[in-house]
């Protein structure tokens, strides 16, 4: 059994608790919500990594590791995310759930929460050595982003699609800015975040929600109430900025070309049409029963893979496929033809019903994964949505074929990005 409860522990400190007795580990996260913009973005991305090795109470990575060993190998890891035009930074932790722990170990969650709060709220000195080491590792991570060509092509497409919007920015920051980061700059950015940014907590485990809330309120008691919150906002365009479809080609030494099409939908998780948009995406390219998989990939053999995905916080959509270079025009034409057919009412009731069953089955599996629930509810909190996962599933089950067709007509192709393979 599971239940969800929402708390406002103090102004600027929210909490979502999911009581779930099925999982053997408890999950806890603490995420600052920041605007995704050029100013301070790189320093903010570096901050969790430096905080982890700069705790005043447990200085150094070995001291933190020793505390985690005392908690039966619990983990506390830095997290950097982009959700729409928000940058989420903080920590996520997991620890053996007390429901499954040895008799007498009843403080595992409370002690894990105390450790995370100390790492986040009790920084010691940001030393030159710590900052330089963590900056080098973060720069290496950013430099490695293009290595995964499938996800890199989607990133590049969105950079062109949203070329005048903050969504184009990389949440991990810019290499040159991170290399120049000085301890005093990082300390100044930390104080700015502490004084202005909402902090959102999430817990999933067997503890009663009120009990977990009390323990977290105690652990994060030193977090001050924030009078002047700076809440990140995402710009959502309901129609494309460009009158005609844009075509962009870049070349890299890869064996397989990557064709990515960006669409504007204008529908986010805040909109009533969102469940219908989820079903449309599943019918179009979001599952192995979708039009892109069954027709473009399997029947016509135009690509190695073909799928679609929506961005629930921004109201945009990406179709991604791996193709031979000489198949680009034919694959693009067929992908867009399938979209037009769906928009013209070409979906069958069977396609819609299969999509709904697939989506709901996938969402139900999230109850077996505390970190999947954490990701979902942290995004809900960012958007100011109180709807639970169960309520979203119920809305998806109620979607009609007419609503799916209407949602499909909101998807307007804007940018075609082709990563062309040369000389591989």
């Amino acid at each position: 059994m599971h239940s969800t409860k929402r708390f406002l522990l103090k102004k600027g400190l929210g909490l979502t608790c999911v009581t779930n007795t099925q999982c053997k580990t408890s999950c806890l996260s603490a995420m600052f919500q920041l605007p995704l913009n050029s100013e301070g973005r790189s320093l903010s991305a570096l901050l969790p990594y430096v905080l982890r090795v700069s705790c005043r109470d447990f200085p150094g990575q070995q001291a933190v590791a020793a505390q985690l060993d005392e908690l039966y190998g619990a983990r506390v890891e830095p997290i950097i995310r982009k959700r729409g035009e928000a940058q989420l930074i903080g920590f996520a932790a997991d620890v053996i759930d007390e429901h499954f722990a040895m008799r007498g170990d009843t403080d595992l969650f409370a002690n894990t929460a105390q450790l995370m709060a100390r790492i986040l709220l009790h920084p010691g000195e940001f030393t030159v050595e710590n900052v330089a080491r963590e900056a080098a590792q973060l720069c290496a991570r950013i430099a490695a982003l293009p290595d995964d060509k499938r996800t890199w092509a989607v990133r590049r497409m969105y950079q062109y699609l949203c070329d005048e919007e903050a969504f184009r920015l990389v949440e991990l920051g810019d290499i040159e800015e991170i290399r120049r980061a000085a301890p005093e700059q990082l300390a100044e950015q930390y104080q700015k975040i502490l004084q202005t940014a909402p902090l959102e907590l999430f817990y999933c485990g067997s503890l009663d929600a009120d009990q977990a809330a009390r323990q977290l309120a105690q652990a994060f008691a030193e977090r001050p109430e924030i009078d002047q919150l700076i809440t990140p906002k995402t710009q959502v365009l309901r129609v494309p900025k460009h009158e005609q479809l844009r075509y962009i080609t870049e070349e890299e030494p890869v064996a397989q070309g990557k064709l990515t099409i960006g669409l504007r939908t204008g529908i986010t998780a805040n909109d009533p049409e969102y469940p219908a948009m989820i079903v449309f995406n599943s019918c179009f390219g979001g599952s192995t029963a979708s039009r892109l998989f069954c027709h473009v990939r399997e029947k016509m053999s135009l690509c190695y893979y073909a799928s679609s995905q929506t961005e629930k916080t921004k109201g945009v959509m990406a179709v991604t496929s791996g193709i031979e270079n000489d198949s680009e025009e034919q694959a693009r034409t067929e992908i867009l033809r399938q979209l037009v057919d769906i928009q013209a009412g070409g979906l069958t009731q069977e396609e819609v019903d299969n999509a709904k069953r697939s989506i709901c089955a996938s969402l139900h599996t999230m109850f077996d994964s505390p970190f999947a629930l954490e990701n979902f509810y942290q995004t809900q909190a960012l958007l100011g949505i109180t709807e639970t996962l169960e309520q979203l599933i119920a809305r998806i089950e109620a979607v009609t074929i007419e609503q799916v067709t209407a949602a499909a007509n909101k998807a307007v192709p804007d940018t075609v990005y082709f990563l062309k393979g040369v000389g591989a």
Side-chain angles (χ1 to χ4, degrees), residues 253-268:
V254 294
Q256 186 185 109
K258 309 296 181 186
L259 173 64
T260 308
I261 302 175
L263 304 92
R264 297 274 185 181
T265 70
I267 297 176
T268 71

Side-chain angles (χ1 to χ4, degrees), residues 319-352:
V319 174
T320 178
S321 60
I323 62 173
E324 295 290 343
N325 287 337
D326 56 7
S327 300
E328 188 273 334
E329 182 177 0
Q330 191 178 1
R332 167 171 43 85
T333 299
E334 183 59 25
I335 288 169
L336 294 177
R337 190 188 75 79
Q338 291 296 331
L339 173 64
V340 170
D341 183 68
I342 293 174
Q343 291 174 333
L347 283 176
T348 66
Q349 188 64 53
E350 182 180 9
E351 285 180 291
V352 172

Side-chain angles (χ1 to χ4, degrees), residues 225-244:
E225 289 206 23
I226 309 299
D227 293 325
Q228 299 295 325
L229 285 173
I230 298 178
T231 304
K233 302 292 184 184
T234 296
Q235 179 185 6
V236 178
L237 299 183
R238 303 296 174 181
V239 294
K241 294 182 298 184
H242 310 98
E243 294 182 0
Q244 295 183 336

Side-chain angles (χ1 to χ4, degrees), residues 72 87 94 192:
Y72 295 92
Q87 182 187 36
D94 64 348
K192 179 180 178 181

Side-chain angles (χ1 to χ4, degrees), residues 48-214:
Y49 297 96
V50 176
L51 284 173
R52 181 177 56 175
V53 296
S54 304
C55 181
R56 185 180 67 209
D57 303 319
F58 309 109
Q61 196 160 348
Q62 289 185 341
V64 172
Q67 293 299 310
L68 294 172
D69 287 342
E70 292 292 324
L71 298 169
Y72 295 92
R75 296 183 302 165
V76 177
E77 298 293 336
I79 300 292
I80 314 294
R81 292 180 182 143
K82 177 167 74 173
R83 293 293 180 268
E85 287 163 1
Q87 182 187 36
L88 306 185
I89 69 165
F91 294 91
D94 64 348
V95 63
I96 295 174
D97 192 272
E98 295 176 11
H99 186 71
F100 295 92
M102 297 173 61
R103 185 175 299 175
D105 293 325
T106 58
D107 296 324
L108 285 175
F109 170 70
N111 291 336
T112 302
Q114 289 284 349
L115 176 60
M116 181 183 287
R118 290 181 180 185
I119 294 173
L120 198 62
L121 302 177
H122 290 186
E125 180 186 2
F126 293 162
T127 66
V128 172
E129 180 184 4
N130 283 342
V131 172
R133 182 182 63 252
E134 300 301 326
Q137 293 180 5
L138 182 56
C139 287
R141 185 178 171 189
I142 298 170
L145 289 176
D147 293 347
D148 184 343
K149 299 303 180 185
R150 183 168 179 169
T151 58
W152 179 247
V154 175
R155 275 187 179 269
R156 290 294 291 158
M157 180 277 293
Y158 278 140
Q159 287 174 349
Y160 285 108
L161 178 69
C162 305
D163 54 359
E164 297 178 354
E165 301 157 69
F167 190 69
R168 75 187 188 282
L169 299 172
V170 177
E171 68 276 13
L172 298 178
D174 297 324
I175 288 179
E176 291 305 315
E177 291 182 4
I178 293 170
R179 284 175 177 166
R180 295 194 301 266
E184 57 272 17
Q185 291 177 304
L186 203 60
E188 182 179 348
Q189 181 69 5
Y190 172 73
Q191 289 300 323
K192 179 180 178 181
I193 291 171
L194 202 63
Q195 295 166 14
T196 61
L199 178 60
E200 185 65 31
L201 307 179
F202 171 85
Y203 165 73
C204 177
S206 63
L207 290 180
D208 174 77
D210 292 322
Q211 180 183 358
R214 286 193 297 270

